[in-house]
PDB file of all heavy atoms in Angstrom:
ATOM      1  N   GLU A   5       1.907  11.385  -0.135  1.00 48.00           N
ATOM      2  CA  GLU A   5       3.101  12.214  -0.075  1.00 48.00           C
ATOM      3  C   GLU A   5       3.038  13.179   1.124  1.00 48.00           C
ATOM      4  O   GLU A   5       4.037  13.597   1.711  1.00 48.00           O
ATOM      5  CB  GLU A   5       3.220  12.995  -1.340  1.00 48.00           C
ATOM      6  CG  GLU A   5       4.463  13.786  -1.430  1.00 48.00           C
ATOM      7  CD  GLU A   5       4.692  14.569  -2.644  1.00 48.00           C
ATOM      8  OE1 GLU A   5       3.956  14.342  -3.662  1.00 48.00           O
ATOM      9  OE2 GLU A   5       5.642  15.428  -2.753  1.00 48.00           O
ATOM     10  N   SER A   6       1.852  13.615   1.555  1.00 49.00           N
ATOM     11  CA  SER A   6       1.695  14.556   2.582  1.00 49.00           C
ATOM     12  C   SER A   6       1.930  13.996   3.971  1.00 49.00           C
ATOM     13  O   SER A   6       2.164  14.735   4.866  1.00 49.00           O
ATOM     14  CB  SER A   6       0.234  15.117   2.518  1.00 49.00           C
ATOM     15  OG  SER A   6      -0.664  14.178   2.724  1.00 49.00           O
ATOM     16  N   ALA A  10      10.183  11.066   9.166  1.00 69.00           N
ATOM     17  CA  ALA A  10      11.408  11.451   9.882  1.00 69.00           C
ATOM     18  C   ALA A  10      12.405  12.216   9.022  1.00 69.00           C
ATOM     19  O   ALA A  10      12.446  11.894   7.832  1.00 69.00           O
ATOM     20  CB  ALA A  10      12.043  10.267  10.605  1.00 69.00           C
ATOM     21  N   SER A  11      13.110  13.075   9.690  1.00 60.00           N
ATOM     22  CA  SER A  11      14.115  13.824   8.928  1.00 60.00           C
ATOM     23  C   SER A  11      15.034  12.881   8.158  1.00 60.00           C
ATOM     24  O   SER A  11      15.522  11.893   8.775  1.00 60.00           O
ATOM     25  CB  SER A  11      14.928  14.743   9.890  1.00 60.00           C
ATOM     26  OG  SER A  11      15.895  15.351   9.168  1.00 60.00           O
ATOM     27  N   PRO A  28      23.339   4.024 -13.401  1.00 97.00           N
ATOM     28  CA  PRO A  28      22.758   5.277 -12.970  1.00 97.00           C
ATOM     29  C   PRO A  28      21.303   5.515 -13.376  1.00 97.00           C
ATOM     30  O   PRO A  28      20.913   4.965 -14.543  1.00 97.00           O
ATOM     31  CB  PRO A  28      23.667   6.344 -13.629  1.00 97.00           C
ATOM     32  CG  PRO A  28      24.946   5.674 -13.840  1.00 97.00           C
ATOM     33  CD  PRO A  28      24.555   4.295 -14.157  1.00 97.00           C
ATOM     34  N   PRO A  31      15.708  10.691 -12.713  1.00 97.00           N
ATOM     35  CA  PRO A  31      14.681  11.013 -11.728  1.00 97.00           C
ATOM     36  C   PRO A  31      13.429  10.183 -11.967  1.00 97.00           C
ATOM     37  O   PRO A  31      12.761   9.676 -10.966  1.00 97.00           O
ATOM     38  CB  PRO A  31      14.531  12.456 -11.784  1.00 97.00           C
ATOM     39  CG  PRO A  31      15.831  12.988 -12.317  1.00 97.00           C
ATOM     40  CD  PRO A  31      16.317  11.931 -13.346  1.00 97.00           C
ATOM     41  N   ARG A  37      10.566   3.574  -8.955  1.00 96.00           N
ATOM     42  CA  ARG A  37      11.011   2.471  -8.118  1.00 96.00           C
ATOM     43  C   ARG A  37      10.655   2.719  -6.543  1.00 96.00           C
ATOM     44  O   ARG A  37      10.845   1.782  -5.815  1.00 96.00           O
ATOM     45  CB  ARG A  37      12.464   2.260  -8.341  1.00 96.00           C
ATOM     46  CG  ARG A  37      12.832   1.686  -9.680  1.00 96.00           C
ATOM     47  CD  ARG A  37      14.293   1.459  -9.820  1.00 96.00           C
ATOM     48  NE  ARG A  37      14.588   1.067 -11.119  1.00 96.00           N
ATOM     49  CZ  ARG A  37      15.704   0.501 -11.567  1.00 96.00           C
ATOM     50  NH1 ARG A  37      16.690   0.218 -10.599  1.00 96.00           N
ATOM     51  NH2 ARG A  37      15.989   0.213 -12.769  1.00 96.00           N
ATOM     52  N   ASP A  41       4.207   7.576  -3.603  1.00 86.00           N
ATOM     53  CA  ASP A  41       3.762   8.398  -4.678  1.00 86.00           C
ATOM     54  C   ASP A  41       4.369   9.847  -4.535  1.00 86.00           C
ATOM     55  O   ASP A  41       3.704  10.743  -4.006  1.00 86.00           O
ATOM     56  CB  ASP A  41       2.217   8.520  -4.792  1.00 86.00           C
ATOM     57  CG  ASP A  41       1.645   7.265  -5.259  1.00 86.00           C
ATOM     58  OD1 ASP A  41       2.186   6.563  -6.078  1.00 86.00           O
ATOM     59  OD2 ASP A  41       0.589   6.795  -4.694  1.00 86.00           O
ATOM     60  N   ARG A  53      19.836  17.275  -3.762  1.00 95.00           N
ATOM     61  CA  ARG A  53      20.456  17.440  -2.402  1.00 95.00           C
ATOM     62  C   ARG A  53      21.481  16.327  -2.077  1.00 95.00           C
ATOM     63  O   ARG A  53      22.572  16.590  -1.484  1.00 95.00           O
ATOM     64  CB  ARG A  53      19.368  17.261  -1.283  1.00 95.00           C
ATOM     65  CG  ARG A  53      18.509  18.528  -1.184  1.00 95.00           C
ATOM     66  CD  ARG A  53      17.472  18.409  -0.111  1.00 95.00           C
ATOM     67  NE  ARG A  53      16.548  19.463  -0.083  1.00 95.00           N
ATOM     68  CZ  ARG A  53      15.312  19.495   0.501  1.00 95.00           C
ATOM     69  NH1 ARG A  53      14.973  18.405   1.027  1.00 95.00           N
ATOM     70  NH2 ARG A  53      14.643  20.510   0.385  1.00 95.00           N
ATOM     71  N   HIS A  55      23.373  14.797  -4.291  1.00 96.00           N
ATOM     72  CA  HIS A  55      24.481  15.214  -5.125  1.00 96.00           C
ATOM     73  C   HIS A  55      25.327  16.426  -4.441  1.00 96.00           C
ATOM     74  O   HIS A  55      26.463  16.248  -4.333  1.00 96.00           O
ATOM     75  CB  HIS A  55      24.043  15.648  -6.485  1.00 96.00           C
ATOM     76  CG  HIS A  55      25.168  16.230  -7.478  1.00 96.00           C
ATOM     77  ND1 HIS A  55      25.427  17.541  -7.519  1.00 96.00           N
ATOM     78  CD2 HIS A  55      26.080  15.575  -8.093  1.00 96.00           C
ATOM     79  CE1 HIS A  55      26.565  17.668  -8.336  1.00 96.00           C
ATOM     80  NE2 HIS A  55      26.955  16.544  -8.617  1.00 96.00           N
ATOM     81  N   ALA A  60      25.789  11.255  -3.877  1.00 96.00           N
ATOM     82  CA  ALA A  60      25.384  10.718  -5.225  1.00 96.00           C
ATOM     83  C   ALA A  60      26.186  11.487  -6.305  1.00 96.00           C
ATOM     84  O   ALA A  60      26.505  12.737  -6.118  1.00 96.00           O
ATOM     85  CB  ALA A  60      23.914  10.850  -5.497  1.00 96.00           C
ATOM     86  N   ARG A  62      26.240  12.511 -10.537  1.00 97.00           N
ATOM     87  CA  ARG A  62      25.269  12.592 -11.622  1.00 97.00           C
ATOM     88  C   ARG A  62      26.011  12.842 -12.922  1.00 97.00           C
ATOM     89  O   ARG A  62      27.137  13.427 -12.933  1.00 97.00           O
ATOM     90  CB  ARG A  62      24.268  13.747 -11.359  1.00 97.00           C
ATOM     91  CG  ARG A  62      24.794  15.128 -11.339  1.00 97.00           C
ATOM     92  CD  ARG A  62      23.685  16.146 -11.103  1.00 97.00           C
ATOM     93  NE  ARG A  62      24.208  17.443 -11.046  1.00 97.00           N
ATOM     94  CZ  ARG A  62      23.587  18.471 -10.564  1.00 97.00           C
ATOM     95  NH1 ARG A  62      22.417  18.330 -10.092  1.00 97.00           N
ATOM     96  NH2 ARG A  62      24.096  19.670 -10.681  1.00 97.00           N
ATOM     97  N   ALA A  78      27.450   0.825   4.040  1.00 90.00           N
ATOM     98  CA  ALA A  78      28.647   0.949   4.887  1.00 90.00           C
ATOM     99  C   ALA A  78      29.573   2.083   4.642  1.00 90.00           C
ATOM    100  O   ALA A  78      30.108   2.740   5.566  1.00 90.00           O
ATOM    101  CB  ALA A  78      29.419  -0.435   4.863  1.00 90.00           C
ATOM    102  N   ARG A  83      31.502   7.581   6.071  1.00 87.00           N
ATOM    103  CA  ARG A  83      31.667   8.986   5.668  1.00 87.00           C
ATOM    104  C   ARG A  83      31.037   9.839   6.748  1.00 87.00           C
ATOM    105  O   ARG A  83      31.645  10.840   7.142  1.00 87.00           O
ATOM    106  CB  ARG A  83      30.872   9.296   4.340  1.00 87.00           C
ATOM    107  CG  ARG A  83      31.552   8.981   3.113  1.00 87.00           C
ATOM    108  CD  ARG A  83      30.502   9.103   2.008  1.00 87.00           C
ATOM    109  NE  ARG A  83      31.214   9.252   0.673  1.00 87.00           N
ATOM    110  CZ  ARG A  83      31.479  10.363  -0.003  1.00 87.00           C
ATOM    111  NH1 ARG A  83      30.929  11.494   0.456  1.00 87.00           N
ATOM    112  NH2 ARG A  83      32.111  10.356  -1.135  1.00 87.00           N
ATOM    113  N   SER A  91      34.851  17.322  12.604  1.00 95.00           N
ATOM    114  CA  SER A  91      34.317  18.426  13.218  1.00 95.00           C
ATOM    115  C   SER A  91      34.717  18.628  14.636  1.00 95.00           C
ATOM    116  O   SER A  91      34.440  19.669  15.279  1.00 95.00           O
ATOM    117  CB  SER A  91      32.818  18.449  13.077  1.00 95.00           C
ATOM    118  OG  SER A  91      32.257  17.408  13.962  1.00 95.00           O
ATOM    119  N   GLN A 105      33.582   2.391  24.212  1.00 95.00           N
ATOM    120  CA  GLN A 105      32.181   2.079  24.282  1.00 95.00           C
ATOM    121  C   GLN A 105      31.701   0.922  23.420  1.00 95.00           C
ATOM    122  O   GLN A 105      30.708   0.552  23.283  1.00 95.00           O
ATOM    123  CB  GLN A 105      31.371   3.317  23.933  1.00 95.00           C
ATOM    124  CG  GLN A 105      31.508   4.325  24.977  1.00 95.00           C
ATOM    125  CD  GLN A 105      30.728   5.707  24.716  1.00 95.00           C
ATOM    126  OE1 GLN A 105      30.035   5.688  23.702  1.00 95.00           O
ATOM    127  NE2 GLN A 105      30.867   6.628  25.632  1.00 95.00           N
ATOM    128  N   GLU A 111      34.790  -4.728  19.219  1.00 92.00           N
ATOM    129  CA  GLU A 111      36.281  -4.465  19.520  1.00 92.00           C
ATOM    130  C   GLU A 111      37.113  -5.533  18.853  1.00 92.00           C
ATOM    131  O   GLU A 111      38.113  -5.247  18.198  1.00 92.00           O
ATOM    132  CB  GLU A 111      36.432  -4.487  21.022  1.00 92.00           C
ATOM    133  CG  GLU A 111      37.913  -4.246  21.406  1.00 92.00           C
ATOM    134  CD  GLU A 111      38.219  -4.167  22.880  1.00 92.00           C
ATOM    135  OE1 GLU A 111      37.294  -4.083  23.658  1.00 92.00           O
ATOM    136  OE2 GLU A 111      39.444  -4.342  23.268  1.00 92.00           O
ATOM    137  N   ARG A 119      44.790  -5.252  12.463  1.00 89.00           N
ATOM    138  CA  ARG A 119      45.896  -6.180  12.205  1.00 89.00           C
ATOM    139  C   ARG A 119      45.955  -6.511  10.657  1.00 89.00           C
ATOM    140  O   ARG A 119      47.033  -6.488  10.142  1.00 89.00           O
ATOM    141  CB  ARG A 119      45.635  -7.531  12.962  1.00 89.00           C
ATOM    142  CG  ARG A 119      46.112  -7.540  14.480  1.00 89.00           C
ATOM    143  CD  ARG A 119      46.145  -8.940  15.003  1.00 89.00           C
ATOM    144  NE  ARG A 119      44.842  -9.562  14.863  1.00 89.00           N
ATOM    145  CZ  ARG A 119      43.852  -9.426  15.862  1.00 89.00           C
ATOM    146  NH1 ARG A 119      44.021  -8.633  16.827  1.00 89.00           N
ATOM    147  NH2 ARG A 119      42.761 -10.130  15.672  1.00 89.00           N
ATOM    148  N   ASP A 121      45.051  -4.549   8.214  1.00 68.00           N
ATOM    149  CA  ASP A 121      45.418  -3.369   7.538  1.00 68.00           C
ATOM    150  C   ASP A 121      47.059  -3.205   7.794  1.00 68.00           C
ATOM    151  O   ASP A 121      47.755  -2.857   6.847  1.00 68.00           O
ATOM    152  CB  ASP A 121      44.698  -2.080   8.010  1.00 68.00           C
ATOM    153  CG  ASP A 121      45.035  -0.959   7.186  1.00 68.00           C
ATOM    154  OD1 ASP A 121      44.983  -1.064   6.000  1.00 68.00           O
ATOM    155  OD2 ASP A 121      45.409   0.185   7.842  1.00 68.00           O
ATOM    156  N   ASP A 124      48.669  -5.683   5.538  1.00 67.00           N
ATOM    157  CA  ASP A 124      48.485  -5.293   4.117  1.00 67.00           C
ATOM    158  C   ASP A 124      49.416  -4.195   3.610  1.00 67.00           C
ATOM    159  O   ASP A 124      49.818  -4.038   2.496  1.00 67.00           O
ATOM    160  CB  ASP A 124      47.061  -4.909   3.763  1.00 67.00           C
ATOM    161  CG  ASP A 124      46.089  -6.164   3.898  1.00 67.00           C
ATOM    162  OD1 ASP A 124      46.649  -7.240   3.953  1.00 67.00           O
ATOM    163  OD2 ASP A 124      44.832  -5.934   3.907  1.00 67.00           O
ATOM    164  N   ARG A 129      50.820   3.149   7.744  1.00 48.00           N
ATOM    165  CA  ARG A 129      49.560   3.666   7.270  1.00 48.00           C
ATOM    166  C   ARG A 129      49.803   4.832   6.346  1.00 48.00           C
ATOM    167  O   ARG A 129      50.525   5.616   6.455  1.00 48.00           O
ATOM    168  CB  ARG A 129      48.588   4.116   8.345  1.00 48.00           C
ATOM    169  CG  ARG A 129      48.107   2.842   9.101  1.00 48.00           C
ATOM    170  CD  ARG A 129      46.801   3.090   9.731  1.00 48.00           C
ATOM    171  NE  ARG A 129      45.888   2.528   8.732  1.00 48.00           N
ATOM    172  CZ  ARG A 129      44.771   2.835   8.572  1.00 48.00           C
ATOM    173  NH1 ARG A 129      44.178   3.772   9.084  1.00 48.00           N
ATOM    174  NH2 ARG A 129      43.973   2.362   7.616  1.00 48.00           N
TER     175      ARG A 129
END
Side-chain angles (χ1 to χ4, degrees):
E5 183 179 354
S6 62
S11 178
R37 294 179 187 199
D41 288 321
R53 286 181 186 160
H55 175 262
R62 68 182 180 192
R83 280 172 163 254
S91 70
Q105 295 178 1
E111 182 179 343
R119 275 193 304 275
D121 188 50
D124 290 346
R129 292 207 94 208

